[in-house]
Amino acid sequence: MANFILRKAEPNDVSDILRMIKELAKYEEMEEQVILTEKDLLEDGFGDHPFYHCFVAEVPKEKQSADGFTLVAFAMYYFTYDPWIGKLLYLEDFYVMEEFRGFGMGSHILKLLSETRCSSMHFIVAENNTSSIEFYKRRGASDLSREEGWRLFSIDKEDLKKMTKK
């Protein structure tokens, strides 16, 4: 079943992208944290200055999922800059529907992303997502949290608002 195409996401794909974001969040046991809407995805990814880029994997109608979906994988990413090494690709979300895993979609998506001529690709993987951790390690990924001691921090929207008032 290597019958799929990889393409840039289009505005009419946002409902499927959001569906897969929610599937991934459910798998990571973080489903309640997804507050994003289709409107957000549309406005943030398809204007003159998109905040993210996205590739999708699409199968023909005759190979659709058990639930009738033809968009079966996505990779959401953006570019940032590291003052030590230069241009970075940050892979924000990467998901292949379970019934389509093992057919090379994930590898093809990573190959496509690797053609961006960046110094490095960074991403986060949930601790309990061992299959993804192994997938990335087989492709040369290093666990920076273990090897270099980096920690991920976040400041939520409410705390950002508090900072603006100080």
Side-chain angles (χ1 to χ4, degrees), residues 49-84:
H49 303 286
F51 285 97
Y52 71 89
H53 305 279
C54 189
F55 285 115
V56 293
E58 186 172 22
V59 296
K61 193 83 168 146
E62 64 271 9
K63 302 281 187 182
Q64 69 187 7
S65 72
D67 292 328
F69 300 115
T70 57
L71 287 188
V72 298
F74 81 102
M76 181 179 287
Y77 64 99
Y78 53 88
F79 297 100
T80 186
Y81 202 81
D82 183 308
W84 292 358

Side-chain angles (χ1 to χ4, degrees), residues 4 6 57 72-75 91 94-97 100-114 121 135-136 139:
F4 62 91
L6 295 179
V72 298
F74 81 102
L91 181 57
F94 182 32
Y95 178 73
V96 178
M97 290 176 63
F100 293 92
R101 293 179 192 158
F103 298 113
M105 285 182 191
S107 295
H108 276 59
I109 291 171
L110 284 183
K111 180 181 183 301
L112 190 61
L113 292 172
S114 72
M121 179 189 306
F135 173 82
Y136 293 122
R139 284 149 183 86

Side-chain angles (χ1 to χ4, degrees), residues 103-165:
F103 298 113
M105 285 182 191
S107 295
H108 276 59
I109 291 171
L110 284 183
K111 180 181 183 301
L112 190 61
L113 292 172
S114 72
E115 294 169 356
T116 59
R117 296 179 33 226
C118 289
S119 299
S120 185
M121 179 189 306
H122 287 191
F123 47 89
I124 296 171
V125 181
E127 285 282 338
N128 64 346
N129 193 345
T130 55
S131 61
S132 290
I133 291 169
E134 292 308 313
F135 173 82
Y136 293 122
K137 281 183 174 180
R138 285 192 306 271
R139 284 149 183 86
S142 300
D143 184 347
L144 297 182
S145 55
R146 291 213 171 110
E147 293 176 18
E148 296 184 12
W150 293 102
R151 291 182 178 214
L152 175 68
F153 287 88
S154 173
I155 300 174
D156 67 22
K157 189 175 185 175
E158 292 306 311
D159 287 323
L160 288 171
K161 286 180 182 177
K162 288 177 190 174
M163 279 192 255
T164 64
K165 296 175 183 174

Side-chain angles (χ1 to χ4, degrees), residues 86-98:
K87 185 178 168 186
L88 286 177
L89 185 148
Y90 190 87
L91 181 57
E92 184 60 48
D93 252 350
F94 182 32
Y95 178 73
V96 178
M97 290 176 63
E98 191 169 357

